Amino acid sequence: MTTDQLVALLAAAVPAGTPLVLAGVGELLAERGGVLNVGVEGVMLVGAVVGFAAVVATAWPWLGVVAAVGAGALLGAGHAFLTVTLGAEQVTTGLALALFGTGLSAFVGKPFIGVPNPAPFRAMALPGLADVPVLGAVFFRQDALVYLSYALPLLVWWWLARTRPGLHLRACGEAPEAADAMGVNVAAVRYGAVVAGAALAGLAGGYLSLAYTPAWTENMTGGLGWIAIALVVFATWHPGRLLAGAYLFGAVDVLGFRAQLLGVQASSIVLRMLPYLFTLAVLLVITALRQAAGMPAALGRPYFREE
């Protein structure tokens, strides 16, 4: 592989990993608060179709972003009501959300199949930074939503580690009883984390239909929501490691498309399986090495003050 080919591969890995960054950070927020949302795939699909529909209707890409975020937040509020208020089993509720979102997106998206995006997000070079050797071509010739994804994990890390609301969120995920004793409204904090996390998952789906592949097709996420959940475990619930992991997964995904162009003789089916095989391998390694130590202690456990 030549230097130019490597740079091109890395430049493609960044946008490929962006939906994983957005959805992964959202899931990390929810899990840090103690709520597991395995319905990320369905939320991403609904965000993708709603954002695309908004752009088709208005030709304004940022309205598509708002619509995708709003759709995700609405689904997140429903998930929070079932898991936080009613104390429903979180895995079951999340699976129901994934199935519901998949079906709803297919139904809503039927009129938009084959419709071109009238105003997709385009790559734009950042003056000065785009001319930096290698790094400029990889990181600073992307679209606006990719640039947003650079800052998001860093802001979330700072918020979790350096602010009082972030510490309250972590306390709700580790020891909700202790947080409640300190005067923290556990239900409100968990609601906020789940809704914000689902909003980011909706944005991740919107990124797919508004920028990455500016069109709508059924099941266009292709399992990215499930990979985002696995990525949180891979990153041991740390936003910085999640960012690096997302680009690593993105590179593996892109490699599956470009391997034959690089002279690798392999079945296209096997190459498309690479990201999922890599996900399984990473989870097996983490399990074997017992590195899930960063998992919030109260993850998946409902909390009721009366108890």
Side-chain angles (χ1 to χ4, degrees), residues 45 102-103 105-107 109-110 113 216-222:
L45 284 168
T102 301
S105 65
F107 175 76
K110 282 186 181 298
I113 295 176
W216 163 253
T217 57
E218 288 187 19
N219 297 316
M220 67 183 304
T221 52

Side-chain angles (χ1 to χ4, degrees), residues 6-294:
L6 179 60
V7 171
L9 175 66
L10 295 175
V14 170
T18 296
L20 293 175
V21 174
L22 298 173
V25 169
E27 178 64 12
L28 184 147
L29 280 173
E31 292 190 15
R32 280 287 202 167
V35 180
L36 177 64
N37 181 8
V38 296
V40 176
E41 182 83 359
V43 177
M44 288 179 66
L45 284 168
V46 172
V49 70
V50 171
F52 184 78
V55 172
V56 170
T58 65
W60 189 27
W62 286 106
L63 185 60
V65 170
V66 172
V69 169
L74 186 61
L75 291 177
H79 182 65
F81 175 73
L82 292 172
T83 57
V84 178
T85 301
L86 300 183
E89 206 281 324
Q90 295 179 9
V91 174
T92 304
T93 305
L95 290 174
L97 180 61
L99 295 173
F100 172 76
T102 301
L104 179 64
S105 65
F107 175 76
V108 174
K110 282 186 181 298
F112 300 104
I113 295 176
V115 176
N117 189 325
F121 282 94
R122 303 288 187 185
M124 53 184 184
L126 293 183
L129 293 175
D131 298 325
V132 176
V134 182
L135 293 179
V138 173
F139 292 107
F140 302 115
R141 296 179 185 176
Q142 308 289 352
D143 60 77
L145 295 180
V146 173
Y147 295 139
L148 173 65
S149 73
Y150 294 161
L152 183 63
L154 301 178
L155 288 174
V156 168
W157 170 83
W158 172 81
W159 185 78
L160 287 172
R162 296 289 185 266
T163 69
R164 184 176 295 274
L167 294 176
H168 288 171
L169 176 65
R170 290 164 55 193
C172 291
E174 294 291 344
E177 299 87 354
D180 192 7
M182 292 188 300
V184 176
N185 189 329
V186 176
V189 170
R190 287 187 166 183
Y191 255 88
V194 174
V195 171
L200 288 174
L203 177 59
Y207 173 76
L208 293 174
S209 62
L210 302 177
Y212 190 60
T213 53
W216 163 253
T217 57
E218 288 187 19
N219 297 316
M220 67 183 304
T221 52
L224 288 177
W226 303 107
I227 293 180
I229 297 171
L231 186 61
V232 176
V233 181
F234 168 82
T236 60
W237 290 267
H238 189 283
R241 287 191 289 269
L242 189 145
L243 179 65
Y247 292 149
L248 178 60
F249 279 86
V252 174
D253 188 30
V254 171
L255 186 61
F257 283 105
R258 303 195 176 199
Q260 292 180 331
L261 298 177
L262 299 174
V264 177
Q265 299 300 319
S267 168
S268 60
I269 297 175
V270 173
L271 293 175
R272 290 299 300 137
M273 289 171 59
L274 282 178
Y276 309 100
L277 293 174
F278 186 69
T279 302
L280 290 173
V282 166
L283 290 177
L284 287 173
V285 170
I286 290 175
T287 302
L289 297 178
R290 301 177 181 271
Q291 297 211 351

Side-chain angles (χ1 to χ4, degrees), residues 180 303-307:
D180 192 7
Y303 174 73
F304 296 102
R305 189 173 193 181
E306 293 77 7
E307 298 178 355

